[in-house]
Amino acid sequence: MSATYAHRRHAVRARLRENELDAILVTDLLNIRYLTGFTGSNAALVVHAADEPGAEQRTVFCTDGRYLTQAEAQVPDLARVIDRASDLELAKRIGAEATEHRRVGFESQHVTVDRCDALADAAGKADLVRAPGIVEKLRLIKDETEIEALRMACAAADRALADLIEHGGLRPGRTELEVARELETRMLDHGAAGPSFATIIAAGSNSAVPHHRPTDRVLASGDLVKMDFGALVDGYHSDMTRTVVLGNAADWQREIYELVRAAQTAGRGAVQVDADVKAVDTAARSVIADAGYGEQFLHGLGHGVGLEIHEAPMLSQRGDGRISAGMAVTVEPGVYLPGQGGVRIEDTLVVRPSTPELLTLTTKELVEV
Amino acid sequence: MSATYAHRRHAVRARLRENELDAILVTDLLNIRYLTGFTGSNAALVVHAADEPGAEQRTVFCTDGRYLTQAEAQVPDLARVIDRASDLELAKRIGAEATEHRRVGFESQHVTVDRCDALADAAGKADLVRAPGIVEKLRLIKDETEIEALRMACAAADRALADLIEHGGLRPGRTELEVARELETRMLDHGAAGPSFATIIAAGSNSAVPHHRPTDRVLASGDLVKMDFGALVDGYHSDMTRTVVLGNAADWQREIYELVRAAQTAGRGAVQVDADVKAVDTAARSVIADAGYGEQFLHGLGHGVGLEIHEAPMLSQRGDGRISAGMAVTVEPGVYLPGQGGVRIEDTLVVRPSTPELLTLTTKELVEV
């Protein structure tokens, strides 16, 4: 993995040169994890534009004493400093070595107003320059290490749901909360470090609430049961929604299910290199709107996933930009009929030069449990 | 609960007047939860100094469309606005009504450099003024509603550990990870919404690592097993550590155990109204130092708990300030012998005018399982 992280830092250097920065002070923990593999809760990192891969003499990592051993194991290839105020300590070092006029970027989209003052003080003569999104832009395009983690996270969720159904975990009489807990436990059984977000189990009329939190509501025969959940593996988040019917589906349930399924297929089909993110949303949305349910599809079509459960790109009318190979995104249209029930179908997929690679493999046929 | 939140907002107004602020824009979600009860993931709140309890005409809450129903239920007593960019929308409203020179505080310890610019733009003629810690200072002193939530969270952890031991969950042959999972599941059984942080189970030589993460290491007879864990109830975090021995304790284990226990007793005894937080740390630390293990107690004595697992006050040599009635803190000395094993004993307690109220009630006698 060391080579992977070194490669990512090298990509940062190219962006520093584009932005005429001598270095960047990275303080966001996910960005630090992305660039070093470090998973602790306190760290900072300076990447210098002038370093070369394999000879990163000026790149410095800092964490506190609790993580001494962990840092040696996870960040063996970089100079390490131990200090509790990691970001301030590295800013001080930048200031101390700033013999000439230095431009050092900082993550202005993460650093607070108060902390920025303290960093500027510590950096002394060096110029702290806003440099938002330098690492995030790299994170948009997943490398194969990341895609493998996402693949394992999606597999854990797929297997958990298969186990749940196979062992009769989805049946009238159980509560939403019981089902949520079983699903989360089964993901752990399949290698997840935890759920990737709070599991949504929504039965009957609750399925019409897009972001319902599971309750003591008892599942009943005839219910639509909407399950939105994911697994966390190596820091990467999977995201999948399936909606099933307990017993035989009523006509109205089948109708909205098949509509959402058609919209989801259209949405996945639109996830093509160079497509505008708004157009991807439109591809699915128009299927639902044409059937007269446009007002019942209340949210965007999807979002990026990776080290965060929600990250760029946003696939919605509010989103901006184009699809590139290597992006990992969800496609999750839904139709919600208040007081009655709702259906959402969601996959996680990776954009490839030709067809997207589907990571969540559970069937999207209507399942009657 | 409405009255509780109204009372808290009234306390904010008193602090606004002290700071010569006309209003404050609250954007930190925990502070918003504290002041309104709202638990969603997107919100902003403006509290005006001029309002009166029971007549908060100018106090405005904002969240997005996903939380329309939830906001009606959780924040019935305030004017509600629905907008996705909650903070910007409220800043705009502040700007629109700023007919004179207005001083509006913002949470500069939470708002990022980039967001601050956007807020200042939106606020137009109103002066956005740094106002860090206004709500956090109130949160330092817990009211009885909060203490009851902490009490339930501590009880869930106590009961989970009792169940674990009673059902033989702590035995040679199991892995640290298995024990961690069982403990977390049992906390759910006792009403926790989840663990309050990632459970630490550290056996044998791993117990010498203060913040060890559970692994596949198999528990063996003779091991010290250090368990640091807590439950989350109504948003409040409990925190407890117990260290037991599998089988009969060796002399060295008993020696450091009793030393840590004496230090912990001394630390709890020092948690008195008006005590300096450094002196509380010293009270426990000197017991360990006097026995020659000062270098093996690597961290501060404790920290505040509440809506965050780590919050003010810090009980350590780096901390500042004095103890007040109503603070909720941990007391958690430890001695760690690298390669051999370690002991930490930690309680959560509430400062009362006389003796602190202990919330974690599991025995601190040396337990040989």
Side-chain angles (χ1 to χ4, degrees), chain B residues 282-347:
Chain B
T282 301
R285 193 170 301 280
S286 61
V287 173
I288 291 174
D290 289 352
Y293 288 100
E295 298 291 305
Q296 279 72 47
F297 177 16
L298 302 159
H299 50 73
L301 180 66
H303 54 84
V305 287
L307 288 170
E308 294 173 274
I309 179 65
H310 294 116
E311 54 180 53
M314 212 198 287
L315 306 186
S316 87
Q317 298 304 318
R318 277 189 305 269
D320 233 341
R322 292 184 177 276
I323 300 290
S324 300
M327 286 180 171
V329 298
T330 69
V331 174
E332 48 177 312
V335 167
Y336 311 95
L337 309 180
Q340 209 174 345
V343 170
R344 181 165 64 243
I345 303 174
E346 173 187 27
D347 284 315

Side-chain angles (χ1 to χ4, degrees), chain B residues 45-318:
Chain B
L45 173 74
V46 172
V47 179
H48 277 267
D51 272 352
E52 288 297 329
E56 299 182 82
Q57 285 95 348
R58 304 171 78 189
T59 299
V60 186
F61 171 87
C62 186
T63 183
D64 68 59
R66 289 174 298 168
Y67 296 113
L68 183 67
T69 316
Q70 180 175 330
E72 283 168 8
Q74 293 184 326
V75 194
D77 47 346
L78 292 181
R80 291 180 302 280
V81 176
I82 298 297
D83 194 283
R84 192 171 178 92
S86 309
D87 53 348
L88 292 179
E89 173 62 23
L90 293 192
K92 251 184 252 171
R93 286 172 179 247
I94 288 167
E97 63 185 30
T99 49
E100 75 243 62
H101 184 69
R102 263 267 163 77
R103 280 171 53 88
V104 178
F106 75 100
E107 301 185 289
S108 51
Q109 84 283 27
H110 294 301
V111 173
T112 68
V113 170
D114 289 350
R115 200 64 174 178
C116 180
D117 281 0
L119 289 174
D121 271 358
K125 279 181 291 182
D127 249 5
L128 281 190
V129 177
R130 296 183 189 202
I134 295 268
V135 185
E136 280 84 351
K137 272 185 198 129
L138 300 175
R139 282 171 46 195
L140 262 176
I141 310 302
K142 271 66 183 174
D143 58 36
E144 288 305 318
T145 305
E146 296 182 280
I147 293 171
E148 182 56 24
L150 284 168
R151 199 178 278 125
M152 289 193 297
C154 289
D158 277 332
R159 288 174 190 151
L161 180 55
D163 284 358
L164 176 81
I165 293 177
E166 189 183 323
H167 291 88
L170 216 51
R171 59 172 188 273
R174 295 195 95 192
T175 67
E176 292 170 344
L177 271 168
E178 284 167 355
V179 173
R181 274 183 60 179
E182 181 172 344
L183 206 45
E184 292 186 354
T185 302
R186 290 192 181 279
M187 288 194 286
L188 299 181
D189 290 338
H190 289 292
S196 60
F197 57 93
T199 296
I200 295 174
I201 303 291
S205 58
N206 286 345
S207 62
V209 181
H211 283 83
H212 175 73
R213 298 294 299 272
T215 66
D216 285 329
R217 187 193 191 281
V218 172
L219 275 56
S221 187
D223 277 353
L224 282 166
V225 182
K226 186 181 70 189
M227 299 171 285
D228 187 349
F229 64 106
L232 184 66
V233 172
D234 287 349
Y236 285 80
H237 298 75
S238 80
D239 198 352
M240 173 166 82
T241 308
R242 289 294 183 270
T243 308
V244 301
V245 176
L246 291 191
N248 294 323
D251 288 346
W252 69 270
Q253 292 171 331
R254 190 174 295 278
E255 185 195 332
I256 61 168
Y257 189 93
E258 293 304 338
L259 176 62
V260 172
R261 184 150 81 112
Q264 209 261 354
T265 305
R268 279 189 289 123
V271 177
Q272 295 292 340
V273 173
D274 284 337
D276 186 294
V277 294
K278 290 187 181 66
V280 177
D281 180 89
T282 301
R285 193 170 301 280
S286 61
V287 173
I288 291 174
D290 289 352
Y293 288 100
E295 298 291 305
Q296 279 72 47
F297 177 16
L298 302 159
H299 50 73
L301 180 66
H303 54 84
V305 287
L307 288 170
E308 294 173 274
I309 179 65
H310 294 116
E311 54 180 53
M314 212 198 287
L315 306 186
S316 87
Q317 298 304 318
R318 277 189 305 269

Side-chain angles (χ1 to χ4, degrees), chain A residues 326-345:
Chain A
M327 287 180 170
V329 297
T330 70
V331 173
E332 49 177 313
V335 167
Y336 311 95
L337 308 179
Q340 208 174 344
V343 170
R344 181 165 62 245
I345 302 174

